[in-house]
Amino acid sequence: MKNLYVFACLLFASSHLMFGQLIINEICYDPSNSGLDGDTNGDGAYAQAEDEFLELYNNTGSPLDVSGYTIFDAENLAIGTPNHTVPVNTMIPAGGVLVVFGGGTPTGSFGGAVVQTSTFGDLNMNNAGDTVYIFDANMMGVDTFDIEPLSNNPNESYTRNPDITGDFEQHGDNFAVLFSPGTMVDGNPFATTVAVASITVAGSSGATSIDTMGGTLQMIATVMPTNASDSTVSWSVTPGSGDASIDSTGLLTAIADGSVTVTATANDSSGISGSTEISISNQTAMGIDEIIANQRISLYPNPSSDAVLILAQEPIQAVQVYTMEGKLLTGLSFEQDRLEIQSLQAGLYLLRIRTADSWKTKRLVKE
């Protein structure tokens, strides 16, 4: 193991100054043992080994995949056992941080940082003198921290001030708190943008079909990571052998038998989307390309350029206008059987018309 230690140190000495992608920004190897003053991980209990932590800053302009990165102290490097191995699929957002605690149950937001606990069960940082090493997945040196010159039982963290570029100082030298894992030294979050990485789309309670006339299904979008800066989505539906409409909340409404593809697209700049297929049945009275006599509803004039009269034998309770892609349009005036369509662009639209007994669908041509 001694050879591994010497080899790793040589790798580190020859490579770590070339990278600077991941920077130790704050380190706590001696949390205070006065009550909860040293409860850095926020789990409501002080424990020397569990409340040690490292805060690692992504110094690149892009998300950084740190899967397989390792953290050693000098003792564990000598035996070839990492104090922490970063799990697969760990991404630090651009300008964001990874906080690794010795253990416990980290509780709190930590400024939205990626938070982990030591896979070894102990960061094992000796405040009487030690060295911390960070390696990438190829065992190339990334950053290091020599505790020896600062072995003064600080009972608090050492932090860069200013963050990222400054020299290390005891946290309490210029700030009232003793540590700030996951945030800048003044307690403000780092200026990160966490992009959406994936979206999974499913029907409520796992439903994959609508089998009632004019039935609805609430669609659910699961956005990952959970701390994405913008986790909102836009809904759309693509007709297949069937047809349906969807509103801005993800409520899918059946129109015609067959299948449709429902898609949720992230509203951030990631371009990420997720889709699923929904089956539709029992919508025989809702065909798009045919006028069914027993609907007892007619449009006049159709085509039209400015307004259309909707004539029905039963009172009309509601009218919805959809694009052929299934997008619900709002803001159109419907009064005394007259639907104003001046604002629509020329093209084909679907009108869903609610009478006393059911929803019915008609095709409208806007000139």
Side-chain angles (χ1 to χ4, degrees), residues 4-319:
L4 172 63
Y5 173 76
V6 172
F7 177 66
C9 288
L10 289 173
L11 275 178
F12 197 97
S14 65
S15 64
H16 84 281
L17 293 179
M18 297 170 57
F19 290 87
Q21 294 181 325
L22 199 62
I23 295 173
I24 298 174
N25 190 65
E26 185 176 353
I27 180 171
C28 185
Y29 53 83
D30 182 36
S32 173
N33 59 4
S34 176
L36 294 180
D37 287 351
D39 179 24
T40 67
N41 62 18
D43 63 3
Y46 162 75
Q48 173 74 32
E50 294 180 353
D51 287 308
E52 292 182 351
F53 72 83
L54 285 169
E55 179 186 84
L56 308 176
Y57 175 80
N58 175 8
N59 197 36
T60 74
S62 304
L64 181 63
D65 186 351
V66 291
S67 305
Y69 279 44
T70 50
I71 300 172
F72 294 83
D73 79 321
E75 180 180 345
N76 277 52
L77 185 61
I79 63 175
T81 302
N83 299 81
H84 181 62
T85 300
V86 179
V88 296
N89 299 322
T90 299
M91 301 290 295
I92 306 176
V97 293
L98 165 66
V99 178
V100 180
F101 290 98
T105 305
T107 304
S109 66
F110 301 102
V114 180
V115 177
Q116 298 174 359
T117 56
S118 167
T119 54
F120 178 72
D122 190 348
L123 290 176
N124 199 38
M125 295 185 290
N126 189 341
N127 61 1
D130 203 345
T131 303
V132 177
Y133 301 90
I134 314 294
F135 293 93
D136 68 14
N138 297 314
M139 280 299 289
M140 300 297 290
V142 175
D143 201 1
T144 184
F145 187 93
D146 186 359
I147 294 174
E148 181 68 33
L150 304 175
S151 300
N152 58 350
N153 297 313
N155 293 314
E156 58 185 300
S157 73
Y158 269 87
T159 183
R160 293 184 184 274
N161 187 23
D163 288 279
I164 308 162
T165 60
D167 293 331
F168 282 98
E169 66 178 25
Q170 288 185 215
H171 205 293
D173 284 356
N174 290 293
F175 297 88
V177 295
L178 302 179
F179 45 79
S180 56
T183 69
M184 295 191 293
V185 66
D186 60 3
N188 288 315
F190 288 88
T192 61
T193 299
V194 182
V196 172
S198 66
I199 299 175
T200 303
V201 176
S204 178
S205 301
T208 59
S209 63
I210 301 174
D211 58 9
T212 59
M213 173 70 76
T216 61
L217 175 61
Q218 181 62 55
M219 304 303 298
I220 306 297
T222 302
V223 177
M224 297 298 291
T226 56
N227 65 332
S229 298
D230 184 355
S231 59
T232 63
V233 300
S234 293
W235 291 99
S236 62
V237 59
T238 303
S241 57
D243 202 4
S245 62
I246 195 165
D247 68 13
S248 61
T249 69
L251 184 66
L252 184 71
T253 302
I255 293 177
D257 288 353
S259 64
V260 297
T261 300
V262 179
T263 301
T265 302
N267 286 329
D268 66 0
S269 59
S270 64
I272 299 296
S273 65
S275 300
T276 193
E277 186 173 283
I278 300 296
S279 298
I280 299 172
S281 59
N282 299 320
Q283 312 298 313
T284 55
M286 304 184 75
I288 298 173
D289 294 320
E290 60 185 0
I291 298 175
I292 299 175
N294 64 9
Q295 286 189 340
R296 299 180 181 178
I297 295 176
S298 60
L299 307 180
Y300 180 80
N302 188 18
S304 176
S305 60
D306 56 0
V308 61
L309 290 176
I310 303 176
L311 306 176
Q313 294 187 5
E314 303 90 0
I316 297 175
Q317 298 178 354
V319 176

